[in-house]
Amino acid sequence: MIITYERPATLDLQQFDPAAPDADLSPTGQQCGNTTYDVGGLEWHCTRAPHPGDDEHRAAFERNGEGPEGAVGFAWTYQYADDEPSDGFDHAAPTHSLTVTLRYPERAGRGIDTESVAASMIRAALDHFWEGDPDDVTATTTSS
């Protein structure tokens, strides 16, 4: 994660920061919903509507928050984001493939739920990626 904006701690609680990005809130109330944590461990929820081709998430203060209501307090993006126009999805490039083959004799596989095994292997692999990367990771399984 790359922090693109963090409200200065030197501001009074209700003081607006002229350097803060626009909250860009949706008139329909639609929100991105992604969550992250700042360096101090404070949890932030993206209050900005999804923007195809734009990786920046912005979290605005809510009523009675520790900043002016509706003002952005924290903004972030992911390590592979850039300002290039995209097709609505940001893909990390270049891509790489990792193939894991698990072979076992039929007698050893009795009672094994292969779908459950595959799902747990995928979950374990996804834990190694940055917070926003799983959106761009494709996992497939085959069984024979």
Side-chain angles (χ1 to χ4, degrees):
M1 174 183 73
I2 298 168
I3 298 171
T4 55
Y5 173 77
E6 190 166 15
R7 179 179 166 81
T10 56
L11 295 176
D12 292 333
L13 281 182
Q14 296 305 315
Q15 184 180 357
F16 282 91
D17 180 6
D22 180 20
D24 202 12
L25 300 174
S26 167
T28 65
Q30 184 181 15
Q31 295 186 356
C32 166
N34 277 2
T35 300
T36 195
Y37 296 88
D38 64 19
V39 176
L42 186 62
E43 184 176 37
W44 291 93
H45 304 278
C46 184
T47 53
R48 185 177 191 222
H51 287 68
D54 183 353
D55 271 312
E56 187 175 54
H57 299 274
R58 297 176 186 170
F61 289 104
E62 297 176 3
R63 175 175 241 159
N64 299 322
E66 298 209 4
E69 182 180 352
V72 172
F74 193 73
W76 71 96
T77 189
Y78 298 112
Q79 72 276 13
Y80 55 82
D82 57 37
D83 293 329
E84 299 297 319
S86 71
D87 58 2
F89 300 95
D90 295 305
H91 305 282
T95 60
H96 298 274
S97 293
L98 170 66
T99 303
V100 177
T101 303
L102 179 63
R103 287 202 166 111
Y104 50 89
E106 188 174 331
R107 71 184 182 317
R110 291 191 183 118
I112 291 179
D113 179 357
T114 56
E115 287 183 26
S116 176
V117 170
S120 68
M121 291 174 76
I122 290 169
R123 279 192 305 275
L126 291 177
D127 284 345
H128 293 275
F129 290 91
W130 281 58
E131 173 188 329
D133 284 339
D135 293 341
D136 291 316
V137 175
T138 302
T140 58
T141 58
T142 59
S143 179
S144 58

